[in-house]
Amino acid sequence: MINKGSKIFFTIFFILVISSVIFTYYRYVVLKDFDFFTDKEAFDASLSEE
């Protein structure tokens, strides 16, 4: 059997993993927080900004 400490650890771990997936889905799908680069100059300029 799993002891109480392990059960708490795995519960917290899975809650963090699931919340991370939900946050990432919300950011990229719902908010559409990403950029499309269609021309080479804009892509190169964005690389030099970082």
Side-chain angles (χ1 to χ4, degrees):
M1 276 262 157
I2 299 176
N3 61 7
K4 188 175 181 178
S6 295
K7 191 179 285 189
I8 292 171
F9 170 75
F10 284 116
T11 302
I12 292 172
F13 177 75
F14 285 121
I15 287 172
L16 288 174
V17 169
I18 290 170
S19 63
S20 172
V21 170
I22 290 171
F23 176 75
T24 304
Y25 175 83
Y26 177 75
R27 182 175 172 199
Y28 288 115
V29 176
V30 177
L31 296 179
K32 298 184 190 310
D33 187 20
F34 53 89
D35 295 326
F36 284 107
F37 296 106
T38 56
D39 61 338
K40 187 170 176 19
E41 288 136 12
F43 179 73
D44 291 337
S46 70
L47 289 178
S48 63
E49 290 173 359
E50 296 175 0

